[in-house]
Amino acid sequence: QVQLVESGGGLVQAGDSLRLSCAASGRTFSSYVMGWFRQAPGKEREFVAASSWSGGSAYYADSVKGRFTISRDNAKNTLYLQMNSLKPEDTAVYYCAAGFPGGSSRSYYYRSAYDYWGQGTQVTVSS
């Protein structure tokens, strides 16, 4: 079991940066694949980024590639999402998630790969 708490959201202008954090409880954080998803009003929750258990591999949605960076500090049980060059279309509630997805890394892109979810943090980007 792991509990996840996101922080770092807020209201920013287009072009600004934000860093989201996800603090995890439990002693097995380093064993989990960790992901970030987001959900805009009226839309499905969508994949943003994922990190392998070691942090050695990262995966991104095409819409954020080159602007967002996922990282993790296993010693601090914390996942991060550095978001640069923010756009109004990045406005959403951002969720972190943890899981033990089997199979290939392609599964990391899907909500079904994750067993635990945080409550989310709101990111609003004004134009």
Side-chain angles (χ1 to χ4, degrees), residues 8-112:
L11 171 62
V12 297
Q13 293 186 329
D16 285 351
S17 298
L18 274 177
R19 188 175 81 155
L20 305 184
S21 299
C22 173
S25 65
R27 294 176 292 179
T28 59
F29 174 79
S30 61
S31 301
Y32 289 95
V33 170
M34 299 296 297
W36 286 101
F37 287 73
R38 66 186 182 186
Q39 188 166 17
K43 294 189 176 181
E44 294 285 320
R45 192 172 299 189
E46 65 175 5
F47 172 79
V48 175
S51 170
S52 62
W53 65 270
S54 67
S57 297
Y59 309 84
Y60 296 97
D62 288 342
S63 59
V64 307
K65 202 171 293 183
R67 298 188 298 123
F68 290 12
T69 302
I70 188 171
S71 62
R72 64 192 294 165
D73 186 336
N74 286 342
K76 295 182 178 179
N77 281 12
T78 304
L79 178 74
Y80 303 100
L81 184 68
Q82 178 66 43
M83 306 186 294
N84 298 331
S85 303
L86 282 162
K87 304 176 181 180
E89 51 263 44
D90 295 319
T91 295
V93 177
Y94 283 71
Y95 300 89
C96 69
F100 289 115
S104 76
S105 58
R106 187 61 194 167
S107 66
Y108 301 175
Y109 291 74
Y110 298 94
R111 287 176 291 172
S112 58

